[in-house]
Amino acid sequence: MTVLQIALDVPLPRLFDYLPEGEGENFTPGRLVRVPFGQGGKVGVVVAVAADSEHPAGKLKTAAAIPELPALPADWLELCGFCARYYHYPIGQVMAFALPPLLRKGKAPRALKEKVGSGDTVPTANAATPDQRAAIDAIVGATGGGGFRTFLLHGVTGSGKTEVYLQAIERVLAAGGQALMLVPEIALTPQLESRVSARFPGARVVSAHSGVADAARARGFLAALEGRADIVLGTRLSVFMPMPRLGLIVVDEEHDASFKQQEGLRYSARDIAIFRARQRDIPIVLGSATPSLESFHHGTSGRYAKLDLPLRAVAAAMPTVATVDTRKEKLQDGLSARMIAAVSERLQRGEQSLLFLNRRGYAPVLACPACGWISHCRRCAANLVLHLADRRLRCHHCGLEAGIPHACPGCGNLDLQPFGRGTQRLEAKLGELFPEARILRIDRDSADSPKKWHALLAAIHAGAADILIGTQMLAKGHDFPNLTLVGVVGADAALFAADFRAPERLFAQLMQVGGRSGRAQLPGAVLIQTEYPDHPLYRALIDHDYAAFAREQLAEREAAGFPPFAFQALLRAEAPALEDAIAFLTQAVAAAEALAAPEVLLYDPVPMRMARLKNRERAQLLVESRSRPALHAFLDAWMGALHALKTPRELRWHLDVDPQEL
Ligand code: ADP
Ligand code: ZN
Ligand code: ZN
């Protein structure tokens, strides 16, 4: 008897047995099939073919072939299997996630005429600097080949990392290989896509990100799978692109938070990419100006090969970084005299300034000074943010919206006051200070569609703005040649945040946003307003000394027993009532104690920092071990026990392995 073991998109960590409807190669592992399931049907992936089933043959239903879709390769099945085990996520749901939506439905995209490159421009590569050449040679050798090795390419913004990736890719393509380049969500701009396509006019470059339409995504996936695509350039989800001739993986801005998915399959594309490189025995490059402390630690311990690009490739000087001590003066709507003067100087010289404020809206809260009423979200433990541009109050967590009340809902007072400041308020203030300046605000409100976002970028490049006001959206991957001042309006809150990764993120963000300035012929300056000018984080920024910052942070983490010196998983539960969420986690602790895993430490169940979201109360339980194998052995057993627990109907829980946000 031939029994197909099939992965289906259902929340159960197992395969399902079916009999093939007919015979032959349509039912080998990797083939997509259609099967009856429950009241309806589903599309699944054949994972294995067995000789028998634990169910009697008479009970098994049959699977129909989908011959128009090619088989998924064995290494893709293995990759999904690894992901399912490592993240404790149902295998069928991993595969459903990894497949583009059309294929998931068992449909083939309509074929299009193949378009290979533009063929018009053939820009030659810059002659590599000695540091770049050493990096390229180490990564791919002279022949464009090489076995598994993880390289950490550490180089400041503008040091020529992208150039290293492109020249390494060039050698891999010349040797007949395919290359996969992962970039953060926000960095994938037409600018980068065209830089890559223009560099390889004869190659087929496939872009893969959530903005690509379904048919194009499916076509790109099939082109990669059938080996017709030479380069796949995409965000985290492209780590699942099947590529038979894969010869090199690049992860640019490897520290970026967008590589870790925060819902459903909570995978780290960077970590999966390393698994893949090992699986295929090929080199992988992790590049960053501010590597994650995990990667930096592996780079200094020798587990990764560290490659350094200490100098900028073109503009000789790094921007000067200085702090402005805001304890000593009265600010004008959050702006110091020195900041205002610096912007004014740039205006007179016809140069651009960027003011960085990572908070959108006009003000984070609207309040009544008479009775203490504040604009609270009734569904979340959060405030409604005042948006004056469209006169709304809006919750940034759940999307709840309301009009701006004319009078205080508590006491009828007509004089409601905005407290704190966001990008819209900064925009208004700068408009008053510099009425002649052209001001452009770039945040998720002004750039709420890819089209608007690209239009804003184009306007900046065309020199159509003197002052840019932006959130972290603007920090990444864009090169603004006329920008010579970056002003950080306020970032201190992250210095004292509860999450131990907050300083690491702040440092990376400020380094990145600072790197926007002075990239061409003009020297750049970064001004940081702070009440803690002597904080080691700011001192390290002033000295451009990432390594000093990293060493200090790593010493703290080692003392506290945090990653990378320990491995973590987070069990989260949510329910309409907090007691239910905590009760579930308490049961989970009891289940863990029954498993007796001495190398694994369980913390107490606690409400999440923002406990209520969309009317659901959330709590979490942190699990930690100094040994990754011990942690995973424990998780395997624990998950079985948790699935067997009886829970209230409205309770949901999930496990986050290697959580990035606590
Ligand atoms: P990064 O990715 O580290 O930010 P890029 O690769 O984008 O740096 O390089 C920054 C700038 O320097 C780009 O304009 C690039 O064309 C230029 N550049 C990089 N390497 C060289 C080189 N070897 N010779 C001349 N220009 C270079
Ligand atoms: Zn009031
Ligand atoms: Zn809300």
Side-chain angles (χ1 to χ4, degrees):
M1 174 165 86
T2 304
V3 176
L4 307 177
Q5 299 180 333
I6 295 175
L8 295 175
D9 183 6
V10 291
L12 295 171
R14 48 169 286 214
L15 300 171
F16 297 85
D17 288 355
Y18 285 85
L19 298 172
E21 217 173 86
E23 299 230 335
E25 63 174 33
N26 283 342
F27 297 103
T28 52
R31 295 306 297 235
L32 288 126
V33 290
R34 237 178 261 287
V35 300
F37 189 86
Q39 305 298 330
K42 282 196 177 294
V43 171
V45 178
V46 178
V47 172
V49 181
D52 50 31
S53 167
E54 58 188 49
H55 306 285
K59 291 241 165 181
L60 294 181
K61 299 195 172 121
T62 58
I66 307 179
E68 59 274 28
L69 291 175
L72 295 153
D75 70 315
W76 188 90
L77 298 179
E78 190 184 58
L79 181 72
C80 292
F82 167 75
C83 230
R85 283 191 307 279
Y86 189 83
Y87 293 107
H88 297 272
Y89 202 70
I91 175 78
Q93 293 194 308
V94 171
M95 289 188 179
F97 174 79
L99 287 169
L102 272 186
L103 270 61
R104 194 182 304 154
K105 294 182 202 128
K107 293 186 192 144
R110 221 156 36 84
L112 279 189
K113 217 169 121 268
E114 294 275 294
K115 198 172 78 200
V116 175
S118 54
D120 42 5
T121 44
V122 189
T124 46
N126 292 305
T129 62
D131 286 336
Q132 285 175 322
R133 175 162 308 285
I136 300 160
D137 287 343
I139 297 162
V140 287
T143 56
F148 170 63
R149 186 86 213 256
T150 306
F151 295 92
L152 175 61
L153 181 63
H154 182 202
V156 295
T157 313
S159 61
K161 295 186 294 299
T162 309
E163 193 61 43
V164 168
Y165 309 147
L166 295 179
Q167 295 197 29
I169 290 173
E170 194 176 332
R171 289 195 198 171
V172 167
L173 298 193
Q178 292 173 296
L180 171 62
M181 181 165 168
L182 304 180
V183 298
E185 247 158 36
I186 217 143
L188 190 60
T189 57
Q191 215 179 340
L192 179 63
E193 290 182 44
S194 51
R195 183 168 171 191
V196 173
S197 319
R199 192 60 174 274
F200 302 103
R204 169 142 191 211
V205 181
V206 163
S207 290
H209 50 87
S210 54
V212 176
D214 281 359
R217 220 173 119 191
R219 273 195 292 272
F221 188 92
L222 293 175
L225 184 154
E226 287 162 355
R228 285 177 284 119
D230 300 300
I231 302 174
V232 172
L233 174 62
T235 53
R236 62 172 180 253
L237 60 87
S238 47
V239 76
F240 292 106
M241 287 286 231
M243 298 175 77
R245 293 180 285 111
L246 187 60
L248 174 68
I249 305 178
V250 171
V251 183
D252 188 28
E253 311 284 8
E254 65 89 27
H255 65 280
D256 194 90
S258 75
F259 287 122
K260 174 85 159 115
Q261 179 148 295
Q262 299 290 358
E263 64 196 16
L265 173 58
R266 293 171 163 80
Y267 71 108
S268 157
R270 177 194 63 207
D271 297 350
I272 294 296
I274 294 172
F275 171 84
R276 239 189 131 171
R278 181 197 302 276
Q279 178 195 31
R280 300 293 298 263
D281 196 25
I282 56 167
I284 175 167
V285 193
L286 312 179
S288 178
T290 51
S292 65
L293 288 176
E294 281 86 350
S295 298
F296 188 77
H297 177 63
H298 295 323
T300 48
S301 75
R303 185 157 151 206
Y304 296 171
K306 195 157 165 300
L307 305 167
D308 289 300
L309 296 179
L311 303 172
R312 280 189 160 184
V314 272
M318 291 288 288
T320 57
V321 180
T323 48
V324 181
D325 187 345
T326 54
R327 288 168 306 185
K328 296 191 179 135
E329 65 173 301
K330 186 151 167 21
L331 302 180
Q332 284 194 53
D333 265 309
L335 292 174
S336 59
R338 191 154 154 218
M339 188 71 82
I340 294 169
V343 173
S344 168
E345 252 174 59
R346 299 308 181 292
L347 275 176
Q348 272 154 29
R349 294 205 299 255
E351 298 166 8
Q352 275 174 340
S353 305
L354 160 62
L355 293 189
F356 177 72
L357 177 59
N358 218 356
R359 198 187 299 125
R360 64 198 170 88
Y362 185 84
V365 66
L366 185 67
C368 171
C371 77
W373 174 88
I374 60 170
S375 56
H376 225 67
C377 176
R378 59 183 157 75
R379 300 199 290 185
C380 307
N383 293 327
L384 296 176
V385 175
L386 175 62
H387 284 252
L388 272 191
D390 53 358
R391 305 204 53 79
R392 305 291 284 171
L393 291 172
R394 197 169 282 139
C395 175
H396 286 187
H397 300 281
C398 74
L400 182 81
E401 285 199 23
I404 298 172
H406 294 291
C408 173
C411 71
N413 174 18
L414 289 175
D415 189 25
L416 292 175
Q417 297 285 333
F419 270 88
R421 87 193 47 77
T423 48
Q424 292 178 6
R425 191 167 195 173
L426 192 57
E427 182 184 18
K429 181 66 194 174
L430 287 160
E432 278 169 35
L433 289 169
F434 305 108
E436 74 287 5
R438 297 163 304 167
I439 300 176
L440 218 53
R441 172 169 56 84
I442 298 98
D443 55 27
R444 267 200 290 136
D445 299 312
S446 69
D448 60 2
S449 69
K451 207 170 150 199
K452 280 194 206 165
W453 166 228
H454 295 147
L456 283 167
L457 284 179
I460 300 170
H461 279 282
D466 304 308
I467 303 176
L468 313 175
I469 297 167
T471 56
Q472 62 182 357
M473 261 195 114
L474 253 199
K476 290 175 194 169
H478 310 291
D479 200 347
F480 305 133
N482 201 28
L483 181 72
T484 60
L485 172 70
V486 170
V488 177
V489 174
D492 287 345
L495 295 177
F496 309 104
D499 188 336
F500 69 87
R501 283 195 178 83
E504 177 182 352
R505 283 192 216 109
L506 176 64
F507 190 92
Q509 219 168 52
L510 295 184
M511 188 92 157
Q512 208 153 31
V513 73
R516 299 300 118 220
S517 79
R519 295 199 69 180
Q521 307 319 318
L522 305 163
V526 179
L527 272 187
I528 303 171
Q529 295 189 162
T530 173
E531 293 185 12
Y532 305 89
D534 295 322
H535 195 283
L537 187 149
Y538 293 134
R539 301 248 57 100
L541 272 174
I542 290 171
D543 298 337
H544 302 287
D545 197 348
Y546 168 81
F549 170 74
R551 276 192 300 270
E552 185 233 274
Q553 285 283 309
L554 283 169
E556 276 182 27
R557 295 222 192 150
E558 185 161 26
F562 282 146
F565 303 96
F567 303 91
Q568 297 180 326
L570 199 57
L571 181 66
R572 288 199 160 124
E574 56 167 75
L578 186 60
E579 307 88 80
D580 287 342
I582 297 279
F584 169 77
L585 296 179
T586 308
Q587 278 182 288
V589 172
E593 280 161 0
L595 294 172
E599 287 182 86
V600 175
L601 173 70
L602 279 94
Y603 288 72
D604 289 330
V606 288
M608 280 176 64
R609 221 164 343 117
M610 208 186 96
R612 193 164 31 123
L613 177 69
K614 294 187 194 175
N615 278 335
R616 294 178 70 84
E617 301 286 343
R618 308 180 303 161
Q620 67 188 29
L621 165 63
L622 184 63
V623 184
E624 196 176 85
S625 177
R626 295 246 169 192
S627 150
R628 200 198 291 266
L631 177 65
H632 281 265
F634 164 77
L635 292 177
D636 283 338
W638 198 37
M639 281 297 109
L642 294 185
H643 281 291
L645 288 179
K646 277 208 83 65
T647 56
R649 211 165 53 83
E650 287 259 33
L651 186 128
R652 302 274 173 277
W653 62 269
H654 70 258
L655 184 73
D656 189 349
V657 176
D658 305 326
Q660 293 300 300
E661 283 172 41
L662 294 184

